Amino acid sequence: MTSTPPPAGAFVVPPIPRLPSTASSRNRVSIGSSFSFGPQPIISSFSAADMSGSGRPLALDPNRSMLPSSPKSSLRRYRRAKESIGRHPLANDSMDVFQDTEMESDNDDGEWGMIDRMRLWRHDALMQHLYETAAFWGDKILSWTNDANDAFWLAQTYFMTHQYARAERLLTRPFPAMTPKVQSAPLNGLEHRLVDDLQMGSLTADTKGKGKEGHFDTSIMPQLPMGDAGMMQIPEELQDSVSRLVDMSVACRYLAAQCQVRQGNWTDATEMLGEANPFRHSARSGPAVPNVDGGIKVEASMCHLRGILMLKLNRGDQAKLCFMEALTLDVKCYDAFDQLVSGEMMTPDEEWEFIQGLAYREQTQDDADFVQLIYTSQLRKYKHAEEHALTRRRLVEEFGLSDNPDVLFSFADALYAQFRWADCYTITTRILGLVSIHDPTMPLHIACMYHLNHLHSKLFILAHELVEREPENPISWYAVGVWYLASGKWPQARQYFSKTSLMDPRFGPAWIAFAHTFAMEGEHDHAVTAYSTCARMFTGSHLPLLFVGMEQIMLSNHLLADEALNAAYAACDGDPLLINELGVMAFTHGDYQRAADLFKRSLELAQVTQSSQMSWTTTYLNLGTCYRKLRNYEMAKTNYQHVLEIEPQHPQGLGYLAMVYHLLGEIDKAIIKYHEALSIDPINGHLIELLNLALESDLCCGSLEKVYPGGEEAFRAMMVSLKTKVLDASKKPKVDKPGADVAMSVG
């Protein structure tokens, strides 16, 4: 499937107020007169540097990823050593997260000094998940160099060890903004850089020569104060020479915001990132601007994080726009795609148009087809059945992903949407055989085990295993709740679904199942409340509104049921189950022809998706009943017979078919079907009454051949003989005998 041009309703990044002009902004190396952590200083610095023509400041470029960042680099230009056998691969990397321009590079050769070696230790410890080791050596490096790049990597280490407050403090403290001019003297692999008139020096690696043993000079000026109070204590003469890391690098600002999010400081994180994308109006921002190094734009990552913040602040509409903007800026940002799709923030039509209209060719020219196909395969399957089938076939045949869990999940999701539980379970079992836990697959796998009665025992075992292996995973407790739901223990199921939603408020299946427990228990009012809460949280899903409508039908609130079902239809007009419920409401209102049309459309949609016929017996019954009300008995009989072809022991199908035979005057067939229905449902009072009516009708209105042996002639002969006997008896004297009145009445 090739990428398609953006549709007419493609997503457009909304405008935001213009930021202040750079003419009135201080230099980026200044802390500024305000102590706000807003993004305005970094935006002003980027714009000013871009207009100066001196080269793009890569540390401030939002289109840059973190790929060029190396743990052994610092602010100054470090020499690239010659590649040689036996040297560590990182020895050949000198890229810098704070590199000022694209042209900045070094070609000098030399050996490593102590600080460079320790930077290698730090990075190797990170790769081996020895975070305390990385933090230990990184702290010593920063004490020697007071280097912003070393501070960034130490903050990364703190973040990986969940020391978020410590990382945030490091990223928001002031650092020297420019490398001072120094004189150097070799000192056993280190050079003591004598500071300039500001007396702000650091120790860096000397990669040339071998110095003799010596000692460090302890007369260096102490480090600048940390935290807000420390910033206020900075002497005025240093204001133009220091800056916070969050004002010097987009990557540092993003990391600082991540730390604030992890600490639950939503307001501070929003101030750090900005209420809206601050780079939106810059010349180097937008979907058509490619990433400068082939990675993922930090700007897109910041938009995604801003969307997470909006969700935390219960601002779902803004979160949706942030995720859409993140994916628009960089189609490689899968996290934003996952939030939109798995969180059901968009309707199926909106999903399809938005995903098909992304700028794949402009951003990933060589991989555009694959990215578009893999994203398309993850969309909901209510519509575009042929396109989804073609997508899956291309992923298997052209890209060799026949055994990839995500592609297999696409197959399973399509089967689940068609109510083919057994087939879906087969594929989900294969996925879980490849990977122990696949988050998108687990809800489908558990739901299939719920629908297939013979798998309830396996569901019990699976729930126990998940709780033992993954007690912190919400899906584990969701599986426990589903097992209780399958066992008919509604309060216990509700308890575990509630626990699941508390662990992950964006886990939609838990909210739906929580409401199901009320519906199955007969608490329809509570069920409506729970479904309505789910509808507010997952605005792109039509299912909560559909279930609200079904509950209102149970409560005979027909106006509210119509409102809910129509709202669900506006969100998704391709769900056969929803069309069936609309037909039920039309039947309730007495519009039998419209109801019949809706039921036929529901069955047509089910045929397109090749869904299981067993799931649609009720719709065939409904359609047959509509035809019976319209006195089209032949069509009604055809639909009821189709129900019995699918399920021969269907009691309602047998009973309704008997009614049609009764109405057509085929009393014998009606009596037979009534008896068959009562053999399955013997205490059905309606069927018993209808059977009695049929028997009476057969007795009173049936032909004499069926009522009296010998037919009409024998009956007439019997009547003549009886009349003769009565006349003979009347000629005799009257005698009071028991039974005389009975004989007369029989005659």
Side-chain angles (χ1 to χ4, degrees):
M1 181 186 295
T2 59
S3 59
T4 58
F11 173 73
V12 179
V13 178
I16 61 171
R18 288 282 183 175
L19 295 173
S21 171
T22 57
S24 60
S25 303
R26 295 181 61 121
N27 189 285
R28 79 174 176 93
V29 301
S30 171
I31 290 180
S33 58
S34 170
F35 298 110
S36 169
F37 286 105
Q40 285 76 15
I42 200 170
I43 299 300
S44 301
S45 302
F46 178 64
S47 302
D50 217 11
M51 290 188 299
S52 66
S54 58
R56 294 198 308 273
L58 292 186
L60 300 175
D61 192 346
N63 293 298
R64 184 192 191 195
S65 70
M66 293 188 184
L67 289 177
S69 306
S70 169
K72 67 170 283 292
S73 306
S74 70
L75 275 171
R76 72 184 186 89
R77 301 174 183 174
Y78 278 92
R79 287 168 283 277
R80 182 186 298 273
K82 291 182 178 179
E83 300 183 12
S84 61
I85 300 176
R87 291 180 62 86
H88 195 282
L90 292 173
N92 303 314
D93 184 7
S94 64
M95 298 299 291
D96 189 348
V97 72
F98 286 93
Q99 184 177 339
D100 283 337
T101 65
E102 291 177 327
M103 301 304 297
E104 184 175 305
S105 62
D106 284 305
N107 297 319
D108 296 340
D109 300 333
E111 298 181 358
W112 281 14
M114 178 182 291
I115 293 178
D116 279 336
R117 290 194 296 272
M118 287 190 177
R119 288 188 176 115
L120 175 61
W121 300 349
R122 179 186 64 198
H123 183 68
D124 233 3
L126 286 174
M127 295 299 101
Q128 298 181 41
H129 307 289
L130 301 173
Y131 299 122
E132 292 300 329
T133 301
F136 180 81
W137 296 119
D139 177 68
K140 307 307 175 289
I141 295 168
L142 181 61
S143 297
W144 284 333
T145 64
N146 200 28
D147 189 315
N149 203 56
D150 290 324
F152 171 78
W153 285 105
L154 181 58
Q156 286 277 21
T157 305
Y158 289 151
F159 184 86
M160 293 176 183
T161 55
H162 311 293
Q163 302 181 62
Y164 304 121
R166 197 173 180 183
E168 181 190 357
R169 175 66 66 88
L170 194 58
L171 293 166
T172 55
R173 58 161 280 194
F175 276 87
M178 294 181 293
T179 304
K181 298 179 180 179
V182 299
Q183 298 175 351
S184 61
L187 204 77
N188 191 28
L190 295 172
E191 59 179 356
H192 178 202
R193 304 200 308 172
L194 303 177
V195 300
D196 57 1
D197 55 339
L198 295 178
Q199 292 296 310
M200 294 178 55
S202 62
L203 292 171
T204 57
D206 180 17
T207 58
K208 288 186 178 181
K210 294 183 179 180
K212 297 183 178 181
E213 293 289 341
H215 63 277
F216 294 107
D217 189 352
T218 59
S219 62
I220 301 176
M221 172 184 169
Q223 292 185 351
L224 295 172
M226 296 180 65
D228 294 340
M231 294 172 60
M232 297 177 66
Q233 296 171 6
I234 295 176
E236 185 176 353
E237 60 271 16
L238 299 182
Q239 290 282 321
D240 292 334
S241 301
V242 297
S243 181
R244 298 169 298 205
L245 295 185
V246 294
D247 294 331
M248 298 164 62
S249 166
V250 177
C252 290
R253 179 170 290 272
Y254 174 66
L255 181 58
Q258 286 276 18
C259 293
Q260 292 168 337
V261 170
R262 296 302 194 282
Q263 297 176 80
N265 299 330
W266 318 131
T267 304
D268 294 341
T270 303
E271 182 183 5
M272 182 69 68
L273 292 173
E275 288 279 347
N277 182 11
F279 300 102
R280 190 178 295 166
H281 291 297
S282 64
R284 295 189 54 78
S285 175
V289 179
N291 180 268
V292 296
D293 50 30
I296 298 175
K297 297 178 183 177
V298 181
E299 181 185 5
S301 300
M302 294 175 74
C303 288
H304 166 260
L305 184 59
R306 189 178 296 109
I308 297 294
L309 278 171
M310 295 299 110
L311 286 180
K312 299 292 185 182
L313 296 171
N314 293 323
R315 293 152 68 174
D317 292 339
Q318 289 179 266
K320 172 183 172 182
L321 293 176
C322 290
F323 293 135
M324 293 176 70
E325 184 174 6
L327 197 57
T328 301
L329 290 171
D330 198 327
V331 297
K332 301 182 292 295
C333 187
Y334 173 78
D335 283 80
F337 172 85
D338 185 58
Q339 287 288 343
L340 289 170
V341 175
S342 65
E344 300 192 40
M345 307 184 77
M346 309 171 71
T347 65
D349 288 335
E350 288 176 343
E351 276 184 1
W352 182 267
E353 293 181 6
F354 177 67
I355 296 303
Q356 302 306 320
L358 293 174
Y360 299 101
R361 294 291 178 189
E362 292 79 358
Q363 298 178 24
T364 58
Q365 183 174 1
D366 296 332
D367 306 312
D369 285 347
F370 173 72
V371 175
Q372 184 177 7
L373 287 172
I374 198 67
Y375 279 174
T376 301
S377 69
Q378 305 300 306
L379 302 181
R380 283 174 281 179
K381 310 299 190 297
Y382 295 111
K383 286 186 173 183
H384 309 286
E386 295 181 0
E387 290 86 345
H388 280 295
L390 177 61
T391 296
R392 293 191 292 270
R393 186 170 66 183
R394 290 191 60 190
L395 287 171
V396 170
E397 296 178 355
E398 298 181 20
F399 297 96
L401 294 176
S402 59
D403 225 18
N404 180 266
D406 288 324
V407 176
L408 289 175
F409 165 75
S410 178
F411 280 97
D413 192 28
L415 292 172
Y416 187 85
Q418 299 166 11
F419 305 104
R420 296 165 63 179
W421 321 121
D423 295 336
C424 179
Y425 177 75
T426 301
I427 295 183
T428 56
T429 303
R430 172 59 180 167
I431 295 173
L432 298 181
L434 296 172
V435 291
S436 58
I437 290 182
H438 189 246
D439 286 343
T441 300
M442 289 305 299
L444 295 185
H445 188 69
I446 294 169
C448 290
M449 299 177 82
Y450 169 81
H451 288 292
L452 300 173
N453 295 332
H454 65 281
L455 295 178
H456 286 179
S457 58
K458 289 189 176 181
L459 176 59
F460 176 82
I461 297 173
L462 175 65
H464 271 277
E465 292 177 349
L466 288 174
V467 170
E468 290 177 0
R469 293 200 317 256
E470 303 279 344
E472 301 301 323
N473 194 332
I475 294 178
S476 302
W477 301 104
Y478 172 73
V480 176
V482 172
W483 183 83
Y484 277 114
L485 189 69
S487 303
K489 300 178 180 179
W490 322 124
Q492 293 89 336
R494 189 155 50 242
Q495 176 184 352
Y496 286 103
F497 291 141
S498 178
K499 180 175 182 176
T500 304
S501 60
L502 288 175
M503 295 176 69
D504 183 5
R506 299 296 302 174
F507 188 60
W511 285 97
I512 292 290
F514 178 80
H516 283 345
T517 60
F518 288 114
M520 292 179 175
E521 203 172 10
E523 297 288 344
H524 301 297
D525 290 327
H526 293 301
V528 168
T529 302
Y531 287 133
S532 300
T533 302
C534 186
R536 288 194 298 270
M537 295 185 62
F538 303 94
T539 55
S541 176
H542 70 287
L543 292 178
L545 294 171
L546 168 61
F547 296 139
V548 168
M550 295 170 70
E551 291 302 308
Q552 297 291 4
I553 292 175
M554 296 292 293
L555 294 171
S556 298
N557 296 330
H558 297 154
L559 292 178
L560 295 177
D562 283 331
E563 181 180 350
L565 293 175
N566 289 332
Y569 183 78
C572 177
D573 59 357
D575 186 357
L577 180 59
L578 173 58
I579 306 300
N580 177 79
E581 296 304 316
L582 289 172
V584 171
M585 285 308 302
F587 184 91
T588 302
H589 293 313
D591 192 350
Y592 303 126
Q593 186 59 55
R594 180 171 179 271
D597 294 339
L598 288 170
F599 290 136
K600 285 193 294 184
R601 184 183 171 197
S602 176
L603 293 171
E604 290 171 358
L605 290 173
Q607 292 294 334
V608 169
T609 59
Q610 300 178 358
S611 60
S612 172
Q613 291 290 311
M614 186 70 70
S615 303
W616 299 104
T617 54
T618 301
T619 305
Y620 280 110
L621 279 176
N622 293 340
L623 180 58
T625 303
C626 288
Y627 283 129
R628 179 165 56 83
K629 288 288 186 178
L630 294 170
R631 301 183 184 277
N632 189 344
Y633 299 128
E634 290 299 329
M635 290 298 298
K637 182 172 68 173
T638 300
N639 282 278
Y640 292 144
Q641 288 173 341
H642 191 76
V643 171
L644 297 177
E645 290 174 3
I646 299 172
E647 188 176 350
Q649 299 298 315
H650 197 289
Q652 288 84 9
L654 290 169
Y656 289 146
L657 182 58
M659 290 176 64
V660 171
Y661 282 137
H662 198 160
L663 292 169
L664 290 174
E666 301 178 21
I667 307 298
D668 287 344
K669 294 182 179 179
I671 293 174
I672 292 173
K673 293 301 178 182
Y674 283 136
H675 278 295
E676 291 180 4
L678 285 170
S679 67
I680 302 171
D681 187 9
I683 61 173
N684 191 318
H686 298 291
L687 288 178
I688 294 173
E689 184 176 356
L690 289 171
L691 175 60
N692 291 332
L693 288 174
L695 291 172
E696 292 178 5
S697 176
D698 191 35
L699 182 62
C700 298
C701 304
S703 62
L704 291 174
E705 287 80 1
K706 295 183 292 183
V707 176
Y708 191 82
E712 184 176 358
E713 294 182 359
F715 179 76
R716 292 184 180 278
M718 184 272 296
M719 292 299 294
V720 170
S721 175
L722 183 59
K723 184 177 181 181
T724 302
K725 291 179 180 180
V726 172
L727 291 175
D728 292 341
S730 63
K731 295 178 180 179
K732 296 179 181 180
K734 292 184 179 180
V735 179
D736 292 334
K737 295 182 180 180
D741 293 336
V742 176
M744 290 297 296
S745 63
V746 171

